[in-house]
Amino acid sequence: MTTSAGQATDPFWAATIRRWNAVCWVLFAAMAVGLAAMDRPGGSKYWALGLLGFLMLCYAVVDRFPDNPVLRPHTYLLVLVTVLGVFAYLRSSFGSLFMVTLPHFWMFSRTPRASLLFLGLATGSTLTGSWLRLGNSPQFFGETLVPVVIVVAVGVLIGLWVHSVVAQSHERAGLIVELEQAQAELSEAHQRQGAADERERMARDIHDTLAQGFASIIVLAEAARAGLDSEPARSAQQLRSIESTARENLAEARELVGSAQQQGQVAAGSVAQTLRRTLDRFAEDTGLTVDADLADIECDQPTRIALLRCTQESLANVRKHARASTVGVVLARQPYGVELEVTDDGAGFVVGRSAGFGLDGMRKRLAELGGELTVTSSVGDGTRVLATISTDGADAPAGTTTVPGDAAVGDRGCVGASDPADVATSAAGPVEGEATA
């Protein structure tokens, strides 16, 4: 309670001060009625009533108008100190007024030090007034000094305790406000991060599916247009491939639109057949020789999609950049998890100088599953892309040049195959910005 009654901001203390004000007015009224009705007529009676009325008026002003420029809270306390001294000089019943107004020294002081200062002044003023009236008599020491000292001591202890409680309450309120602000900021950060992650996921999925499909359509359309006169049969086949790729892209688009509802679903069946279809389409569209050794492995949906997207991305880079004649794809179950290897005998490249969205997208996709991407290549010696996904927390062996995943290893299920179930696939068309061959 370091502010005036009208300035209390804490709801609990504001309500407490309002209740005390009501009690204080009742006590003031009772004292006024007692003086007027029970005291004998005389000058001291009227002086006492006048002082009490003046004090009540000052209290009403400072209580109702705490920001008034004339009677400030500390000015009121000085008035109270003076009235208590005069009242003690006039009457022996000053103790009642002292006890009624004792909380005012804590209510209208800004700090505990100021409260103690004004309380000390009031104590000295009261004792001085009583001493001037009684002198060094036993009555002064027995009925004035000892009771006043006891009341003041109790008032000081209670006031300091209340100040401590109020300070702790304000501190807790401040901590609660800070906590709420921190929670709000954290929630906003989570929302922003979630939105960024979703945008990145959508960008990666569009790059791995629709963009590659569109690029494949462009290449096939250019080849079909160039061979309309010389190779009509092959152009017709290429047109059929364009139609098939467009349909698959449409299916991919629908899957992306509904991906929020489909997340978490687990598809049964063999990933080998899904990859086989992708490889057959690639061989048909490019005329390259594809050697595939695909173990019959059943995986959960996230693992299947990651293996498929890595295969599509690798084949797209081979088609776009490698100038290869043979591509090898191996899918195997290893003690540490599942392993997908894509190799080619193309031109190769310097791994450290490669830049683009594809390799980074594969790395992040595998990292989300606790996997790694290893790329090994040199100019003229072809390229080896190795994707590993751990299933038991074991570390996969490192390759010559590695783009490591940075996510914690999680448990993934890849077991013996049953009847296959397909994942929507698109043709492994070319992709811009990568050089993995």
Side-chain angles (χ1 to χ4, degrees), residues 111-417:
T111 64
R113 180 176 298 179
S115 299
L116 294 176
L117 174 61
F118 282 109
L119 189 56
L121 291 175
T123 303
S125 175
T126 302
L127 292 178
T128 300
S130 181
W131 178 80
L132 291 176
R133 180 170 54 87
L134 298 176
N136 294 326
S137 63
Q139 185 180 1
F140 169 75
F141 290 100
E143 298 180 5
T144 302
L145 180 61
V146 174
V148 168
V149 171
I150 293 175
V151 169
V152 170
V154 173
V156 168
L157 293 176
I158 294 177
L160 292 176
W161 175 76
V162 170
H163 266 289
S164 175
V165 171
V166 172
Q168 292 178 3
S169 177
H170 289 168
E171 182 179 1
R172 284 194 298 268
L175 292 175
I176 291 173
V177 171
E178 292 178 2
L179 179 60
E180 291 176 348
Q181 292 176 348
Q183 289 176 337
E185 293 174 359
L186 182 61
S187 177
E188 292 177 0
H190 281 312
Q191 291 178 355
R192 290 194 298 269
Q193 184 62 41
D197 292 343
E198 182 63 16
R199 285 195 298 270
E200 182 179 351
R201 185 190 69 82
M202 290 296 296
R204 187 169 63 234
D205 286 343
I206 290 173
H207 172 272
D208 292 347
T209 57
L210 301 182
Q212 291 184 9
F214 290 140
S216 179
I217 289 173
I218 292 173
V219 172
L220 290 171
E222 291 174 348
R225 183 178 58 189
L228 281 176
D229 297 331
S230 58
E231 296 180 287
R234 179 158 181 81
S235 295
Q237 174 60 38
Q238 289 167 337
L239 289 174
R240 286 192 293 272
S241 295
I242 290 174
E243 179 184 0
S244 176
T245 301
R247 291 183 184 278
E248 290 170 354
N249 265 24
L250 178 61
E252 289 283 1
R254 289 171 176 170
E255 182 178 339
L256 289 175
V257 170
S259 60
Q261 289 78 24
Q262 296 173 0
Q263 287 182 3
Q265 295 179 354
V266 177
S270 172
V271 69
Q273 184 168 343
T274 301
L275 297 184
R276 173 65 67 184
R277 292 178 182 177
T278 301
L279 296 176
D280 290 345
R281 285 290 307 280
F282 175 79
E284 179 183 338
D285 293 343
T286 62
L288 300 180
T289 301
V290 178
D291 295 330
D293 182 8
L294 306 177
D296 206 13
I297 296 174
E298 181 184 279
C299 295
D300 61 13
Q301 179 83 329
T303 303
R304 290 187 65 182
I305 292 178
L307 294 173
L308 173 62
R309 299 308 183 218
C310 289
T311 302
Q312 290 175 330
E313 179 65 26
S314 299
L315 295 178
N317 290 328
V318 170
R319 181 173 189 169
K320 183 68 175 179
H321 305 287
R323 300 189 299 277
S325 60
T326 303
V327 177
V329 179
V330 177
L331 176 66
R333 182 83 161 93
Q334 300 293 348
Y336 51 80
V338 62
E339 182 178 276
L340 173 68
E341 181 184 53
V342 180
T343 58
D344 67 74
D345 59 356
F349 70 105
V350 179
V351 175
R353 297 179 182 176
S354 64
F357 190 82
L359 286 177
D360 187 61
M362 283 195 286
R363 177 185 67 82
K364 290 181 179 179
R365 187 184 293 276
L366 292 172
E368 291 174 356
L369 305 180
E372 283 189 343
L373 178 69
T374 303
V375 181
T376 306
S377 182
S378 60
V379 177
D381 291 333
T383 301
R384 174 177 178 263
V385 177
L386 179 65
T388 59
I389 301 177
S390 298
T391 58
D392 56 3
D395 294 331
T400 304
T401 305
T402 303
V403 185
D406 54 4
V409 173
D411 293 334
R412 300 252 150 235
C414 289
V415 298

